[in-house]
Amino acid sequence: NAGVTQTPKFRVLKTGQSMTLLCAQDMNHEYMYWYRQDPGMGLRLIHYSVGEGTTAKGEVPDGYNVSRLKKQNFLLGLESAAPSQTSVYFCASSWTAGNQPQHFGDGTRLSIL
Amino acid sequence: QKEVEQDPGPLSVPEGAIVSLNCTYSNSAFQYFMWYRQYSRKGPELLMYTYSSGNKEDGRFTAQVDKSSKYISLFIRDSQPSDSATYLCAMCVGAGANNLFFGTGTRLTVIP
C-alpha cells in the first residue's frame, strides 16, 4: 500500500519553463490537496479537489493550475515558472472533508532559477 | 495576524524530558484540532486528532485543547531521540470544511 506518491521528487527549472507535478493515491480518497511549504510560512493550500472532475482554489492559487481527471490522480501545473515558486510541494488526500485526517506524500522539491 | 500561531523553536531537550509544544489561534469557530509530525525530507503524518475541548492521550503523547483561551498543546512524555522532528498543529472549522489551517511548525531535537 503506497499511500500518496509524488513525482518527481526533485526538479530544477529555469524561469519561464513549465512543468507538471503528479500526485497519485491508492486509498480511494475523495479529497485531494496541493500545498506548498516555505520556511516561516508553514503549509499553505494552493488548490484542492472534492472529487473526480472538480477543483477549487485555496489560499495561494496564483500561477498554478490543477486537474483531477481520475479519482486517484491530482496534477499541479506551473505554466511559466517564477523564482517565487521555489518551494517544497506536498500533495495530500483524505476520505471526505477537511476535518478528516490528511495523508501526505513525501514532497517535491522544486527550485526555479 | 495569522489564523494559527506556533513558536518555530528550535527546541532541544535531553532524552527522557517532558516536551510541551503549543499553538494559539484567532478563529473561535475552529472545532477540530490535529498534530502532525514531520521528519526531515518527509511529508507530515498525523499524530493526534481531537474534537472540541479536552484532553486526548495516546501512549507517550497527550493533546490538550482549551477553546476558551484559543490554545492547544501537545505533550510528549519520556522523549526519545526518535521524536526529533518538526511538529505542526492544524485545525479546521467543521465537518464540512474544505481545508486545514496549519501552524508553521516547531522543530524539536531530543539529545541522547
Side-chain angles (χ1 to χ4, degrees):
Chain A
N1 188 348
V4 178
T5 303
Q6 293 184 234
T7 53
K9 296 189 187 311
F10 305 95
R11 187 72 183 268
V12 177
L13 288 179
K14 294 181 179 179
T15 298
Q17 288 185 319
S18 63
M19 79 161 296
T20 300
L21 280 64
L22 173 63
C23 176
Q25 54 96 2
D26 61 3
M27 297 170 283
N28 203 33
H29 284 172
E30 290 292 334
Y31 280 52
M32 295 188 74
Y33 313 83
W34 275 108
Y35 293 92
R36 59 179 292 173
Q37 188 175 40
D38 303 290
M41 302 294 291
L43 282 162
R44 292 182 291 169
L45 184 66
I46 304 171
H47 286 281
Y48 64 96
S49 168
V50 302
E52 181 179 318
T54 74
T55 63
K57 294 180 180 180
E59 180 186 356
V60 289
D62 293 342
Y64 306 95
N65 57 75
V66 288
S67 64
R68 183 112 181 258
L69 298 179
K70 293 183 178 181
K71 186 177 183 178
Q72 64 268 33
N73 295 338
F74 196 28
L75 278 62
L76 178 70
L78 286 73
E79 291 186 346
S80 179
S84 61
Q85 294 177 305
T86 293
S87 187
V88 182
Y89 291 86
F90 286 99
C91 176
S93 69
S94 63
W95 269 114
T96 54
N99 69 313
Q100 296 299 305
Q102 294 184 15
H103 300 259
F104 285 81
D106 282 338
T108 294
R109 283 156 184 78
L110 184 61
S111 292
I112 317 289
L113 304 178
Chain B
Q1 182 188 4
K2 290 182 181 178
E3 298 239 29
V4 181
E5 298 280 356
Q6 185 175 7
D7 187 337
L11 183 62
S12 290
V13 300
E15 183 175 352
I18 296 174
V19 176
S20 173
L21 304 168
N22 311 295
C23 288
T24 59
Y25 61 95
S26 57
N27 189 346
S28 59
F30 285 141
Q31 297 185 64
Y32 295 85
F33 304 91
M34 303 168 205
W35 285 95
Y36 284 81
R37 178 175 61 195
Q38 185 176 20
Y39 290 115
S40 180
R41 297 192 170 272
K42 292 290 186 180
E45 56 179 341
L46 184 69
L47 194 59
M48 298 289 281
Y49 179 97
T50 55
Y51 171 70
S52 194
S53 287
N55 293 359
K56 183 175 183 179
E57 187 173 320
D58 184 0
R60 297 184 295 110
F61 299 90
T62 299
Q64 286 187 351
V65 176
D66 182 351
K67 291 188 71 180
S68 62
S69 300
K70 298 190 185 70
Y71 188 87
I72 69 171
S73 301
L74 177 70
F75 297 96
I76 307 174
R77 292 183 299 280
D78 187 24
S79 57
Q80 302 296 310
S82 59
D83 295 328
S84 297
T86 297
Y87 290 81
L88 306 165
C89 63
M91 50 199 78
C92 70
V93 298
N98 289 322
N99 57 295
L100 291 175
F101 292 87
F102 284 87
T104 54
T106 300
R107 188 170 181 180
L108 171 68
T109 300
V110 181
I111 303 166

